[in-house]
Amino acid sequence: MVEILRANQQNLKEAGKAIRRGELVVFPTETVYGLGADATSDKAVAAIYKAKGRPSHNPLIVHITSLEQAQKYGKFDDRAKKLAAKFWPGPMSLIVKRTENCSLSEIVSAGGDTVALRMPAHPISRQLLEAANVPVAAPSANLSGGISPTLPEHVKQGLGDKIFMLIDGGACLVGVESSVISVLPNESVKILRPGSIDANDVAQLLGEPIEQSQQSKSAHDILISPGLLSSHYAPKVSLRMNVNQPHKNEAYLAFGKHGFSNHSLNLSPSQNLHEAAQNLFAMLHALDAYCVENKFSIAVAPIPNTSIGIAINDRLTRAAAPK
Ligand code: TXA
Ligand code: MG
């Protein structure tokens, strides 16, 4: 079982070396913990898929430290450059075409001609990327289909015997994964996965209306971004959304002024959506463990579908989808 290591100079240096040797290293970002490996190595990238049990048709996000580095691997048009200038470093992944001489493993693109690139803002991710000195492919550090990790303990429970190192960064501040935004030639800009940067932010910056994928399950969308597949982020027990009055065999995930005492957690008593996003996965992990033990299921209060609430409802919808 892997140890949870402090993010000190020495451990980060070791982690960088381990990545260059092809090992799997889990590290914190401001969104969720990432399961990192050298994105230029087929073997290292294949090990990510194996550890997560991830279907090989679902491509990975590659983490970089500068726009200059990003442009070695992806083609940035004016729209992509504007987005990068405004929201990087931060919780945004851009889907762009791979460059002709792109040295990233083709497996990160699941064999396609596009790549997802992200420059994280978390100081520990940045130090790790600098120590590794290679682009780092990193999906969320959970078993495929499960709840994403926002604490090192979540990672340990799910992947603890499959990874080489686990760097501690405490709780992740954003709490839901990066917004995935496609910026492809001759296509309008699309939000493929909602996150803390939303369609309004992007529309305002680019001065054009932005399409938001509506939890669509069509074959077409699955091909565009397999992470849109319905059941995902799923607890072991079943989950219902938009519940005001939970049944007696349900643990309740409240939002706002709900006064349920038994088996209930509150995403944000003050109805702050950012606080709710921060708490979402950790509370789902906790309620899931409780429900498995007590043969309960999970009921979740209605969450306003605005700003980061859109991302929260997106994750909950997938958590509620039949497996
Ligand atoms: O916040 C995050 O994005 C975290 C941290 C670790 O950076 N990573 C993350 O990775 O959430 P993952 O693998 O769990 O989700 C990546 C999403 C998936 O929905 C995948 O289908 C989509 O990005 N994606 C990756 N590459 C793509 C591509 N070339 N075209 C379309 N979608 C892509
Ligand atoms: Mg994921």
Side-chain angles (χ1 to χ4, degrees), residues 198-234:
D198 68 24
N200 287 338
D201 300 327
V202 177
Q204 220 168 50
L205 179 75
L206 299 182
E208 54 176 281
I210 301 300
E211 238 180 89
Q212 166 92 59
S213 295
Q214 283 299 341
Q215 286 142 18
S216 172
K217 292 164 205 145
S218 73
H220 177 68
D221 280 346
I222 289 167
L223 279 177
I224 300 177
S225 199
L228 297 173
L229 272 165
S230 48
S231 176
H232 215 90
Y233 310 104

Side-chain angles (χ1 to χ4, degrees), residues 38-40 62-76 88 94-105 108-109 112-118 133-136:
D38 179 354
T40 65
V62 175
H63 297 71
I64 39 79
T65 50
S66 68
L67 179 58
E68 195 193 347
Q69 189 191 14
Q71 287 182 291
K72 288 209 284 201
Y73 309 121
K75 292 185 197 168
F76 283 63
W88 274 356
L94 290 177
I95 311 287
V96 293
K97 289 275 181 203
R98 290 170 67 109
T99 52
E100 272 77 35
N101 53 359
C102 178
S103 57
L104 299 176
S105 163
V108 298
S109 301
D113 63 354
T114 62
V115 62
L117 295 164
R118 172 169 178 221
N133 202 24
V134 288
V136 172

Side-chain angles (χ1 to χ4, degrees), residues 247-297:
H247 300 151
K248 68 173 183 333
N249 58 347
E250 283 178 327
Y252 193 49
L253 190 53
F255 178 80
K257 294 193 264 318
H258 291 271
F260 298 96
S261 51
N262 285 346
H263 336 302
S264 114
L265 292 173
N266 200 325
L267 286 169
S268 172
S270 66
Q271 303 194 317
N272 176 326
L273 287 170
H274 289 278
E275 182 185 28
Q278 253 174 36
N279 286 330
L280 178 69
F281 290 136
M283 290 188 173
L284 283 177
H285 275 283
L287 290 183
D288 194 25
Y290 177 86
C291 288
V292 165
E293 210 176 298
N294 294 283
K295 299 204 168 56
F296 272 35
S297 57

Side-chain angles (χ1 to χ4, degrees), residues 31 54 58-59 61 63 114 116 118 139-140 177-178 193 224-225 227:
T31 56
R54 183 177 178 108
N58 193 358
I61 297 170
H63 297 71
T114 62
R118 172 169 178 221
S140 51
E177 300 86 345
S178 61
R193 179 177 69 185
I224 300 177
S225 199

